[in-house]
Amino acid sequence: MRRIMLQLCALLLLPSLALALAQAKDPIKLKVGMVNAVDMLALPIAVERGFFEKYGLDVTIARPYATGIDALNALQAGETDMVQAGVPAIGAILRGMDLVFFGNFSGNATKLGSDATLALIAGKDSGIAKGDLKSLKGKKIATSFGTINHLYILGLLEKAGLAPTDVTLINTPPPEMSVALLTKGVDAFVSWDPAPVIAMKDVPGAIEVIRGGDVISYLGFNIALRPWVEKNGPTIEKFLAAVSEADQWMRKNPKQAAAIGTRWIPGLKPDVAETAMQHNVQQVDRRISAHNYRALWKAQNTLQRLGVIKSVFDVNKHIEPKFILNVMKTYPDLFSDLQPIPTDVAIKPGFVFKP
C-alpha cells in the first residue's frame, strides 16, 4: 500500500515537476526597458523576488532611461523587446512607430483620474503659493516635453484657467529638476516621483503646490512593436503574470519595495524611496478597462486642442487587451486586493472604444 501511495504521489507531481524543469532548462530571454521612476519598480521587484523565473522568463532590464522618449528610442533601435512608457508613445505612433499597448504599469482601471505619482514643486521665493495654480502665471516651469509630466502641467494650467503661453515651459529631464530649482533656473517644476520628493528634502523652502488631484488620467503602458507582439503572445502573458505578482507584492510590502528601488534607481535614498512608494502604490494596476482607452483618447484630445500635436490616431488600433484579460482570468488572485472594475467599464476580447 505504501508503495502504491508513493507511486500515486509521484504521478501527481510529474506535471508541475516537468513544468519546473522546463522553466529552469529553457527560460525565455526577454529584454525590458524602464525609466528612472519609482512607478517602474515592478520590473526589478520581479527580478529580485524571482517572479520572472517562476513564469519561465529570463529578464534583463535595460539601464533606467531619463524619460519614456529615451526608452522608446531604445525600443526602436532594438535595444529592448518591450518598454514601459506612456505619453511619449503618442508622438512615436504619430511619427510612424507601430506600437501596441498590452498592459498598464501605472494608472487605474477603476476610475478615470489617476495622477498620485505626479507633483508640482515651486521654489521658496518664486511667488507661487501652495494650492494656488493661478499664481503660476508668468513663471518659468520645468517639464519634460512629450511626457506625462508635460501632460500634467497642461492639465494644471487648464484647471487654473491659464493658457500654455501664460507660462514659460522649459524642457528638462527629471533628474536635473531639483538642481534647476535650487539654482533658480526655474520657478517650479512638474515631474513623477522621485524628483518631487527629492526636491522637498533637498531644496530649502521648496513648496509642494499640488500633488495629484486627478487632474489627468495617468498613461503608463507596457509597449512593444507590433511584429514582436504578434509573434510572442505566450511570452507576453508570462511577463504580465510575473509583473502582476510583483505589483501585488509591492502593494502589500511598500517599504521592502522601496528598498529594492534604491538598488535600481541611481541616487535614490531609502527615505525618499519610502515616501515615493506611498504615492506609487495608489495606482499600481496592471489591468485594462474602458477607462484606460479613454485616458489615451483624452490625452490625445488635450494635446491636439492645445496645439502640441497636429493629428490623432484610433486608440483601438494600438491597445490590445487580450493578453492581460487572459492573465486576469487565469490568475484572479493576483488582483484580489484591488477594487473590482465597475461593470460599465469592464471589457472583453473584441472591445471597441467609442468616445
Side-chain angles (χ1 to χ4, degrees), residues 137-209:
K137 187 172 183 178
K139 306 302 182 182
K140 293 184 293 183
I141 304 172
T143 186
S144 303
F145 291 172
T147 71
I148 191 72
N149 64 44
H150 190 190
L151 184 64
Y152 185 57
I153 185 59
L154 294 175
L156 292 177
L157 293 172
E158 191 166 49
K159 181 180 176 70
L162 299 174
T165 53
D166 288 326
V167 300
T168 301
L169 298 179
I170 300 175
N171 193 18
T172 311
E176 299 176 11
M177 289 181 175
S178 287
V179 174
L181 194 64
L182 185 63
T183 59
K184 298 185 178 181
V186 297
D187 299 301
F189 73 79
V190 290
S191 184
W192 52 74
D193 288 324
V197 181
I198 292 172
M200 290 300 294
K201 292 181 177 294
D202 292 352
V203 181
I207 303 163
E208 185 179 85
V209 182

Side-chain angles (χ1 to χ4, degrees), residues 215-255:
V215 176
I216 63 169
S217 301
Y218 203 92
L219 299 183
F221 291 106
N222 299 113
I223 302 173
L225 292 165
R226 190 176 303 276
W228 189 90
V229 171
E230 290 175 346
K231 295 178 182 177
N232 292 278
T235 298
I236 289 171
E237 290 187 19
K238 290 175 184 291
F239 170 82
L240 289 173
V243 289
S244 293
E245 190 159 346
D247 288 342
Q248 187 178 70
W249 185 87
M250 177 164 44
R251 292 191 295 266
K252 293 181 177 181
N253 304 277
K255 188 170 183 177

Side-chain angles (χ1 to χ4, degrees), residues 83-153:
V83 297
Q84 298 194 146
V87 173
I90 295 174
I93 289 172
L94 293 175
R95 290 191 299 272
M97 283 186 76
D98 194 4
L99 300 173
V100 177
F101 309 153
F102 53 84
N104 295 313
F105 69 84
S106 186
N108 202 310
T110 65
K111 66 176 185 176
L112 190 56
S114 57
D115 48 22
T117 63
L118 296 164
L120 167 65
I121 309 298
K124 178 182 178 181
D125 301 318
S126 63
I128 300 172
K130 183 176 179 64
D132 182 6
L133 296 177
K134 291 186 181 297
S135 64
L136 296 175
K137 187 172 183 178
K139 306 302 182 182
K140 293 184 293 183
I141 304 172
T143 186
S144 303
F145 291 172
T147 71
I148 191 72
N149 64 44
H150 190 190
L151 184 64
Y152 185 57
I153 185 59

Side-chain angles (χ1 to χ4, degrees), residues 260-272:
I260 290 176
T262 62
R263 296 192 284 273
W264 289 82
I265 297 178
L268 182 62
K269 298 177 181 178
D271 57 339
V272 171

Side-chain angles (χ1 to χ4, degrees), residues 1-14:
M1 180 63 70
R2 183 170 179 271
R3 185 182 302 161
I4 292 172
M5 291 299 294
L6 288 171
Q7 289 174 338
L8 286 173
C9 288
L11 287 172
L12 290 172
L13 288 171
L14 278 176

Side-chain angles (χ1 to χ4, degrees), residues 42 46 51-52 54-57 102 222 233-249 286 323-324 326-328 330-331 333-335:
F51 298 134
F52 284 134
K54 175 180 177 180
Y55 292 92
L57 300 176
F102 53 84
N222 299 113
T235 298
I236 289 171
E237 290 187 19
K238 290 175 184 291
F239 170 82
L240 289 173
V243 289
S244 293
E245 190 159 346
D247 288 342
Q248 187 178 70
W249 185 87
R286 197 72 50 170
F323 307 112
I324 188 62
N326 285 342
V327 172
M328 290 163 61
T330 306
Y331 306 102
D333 288 349
L334 297 181
F335 311 96

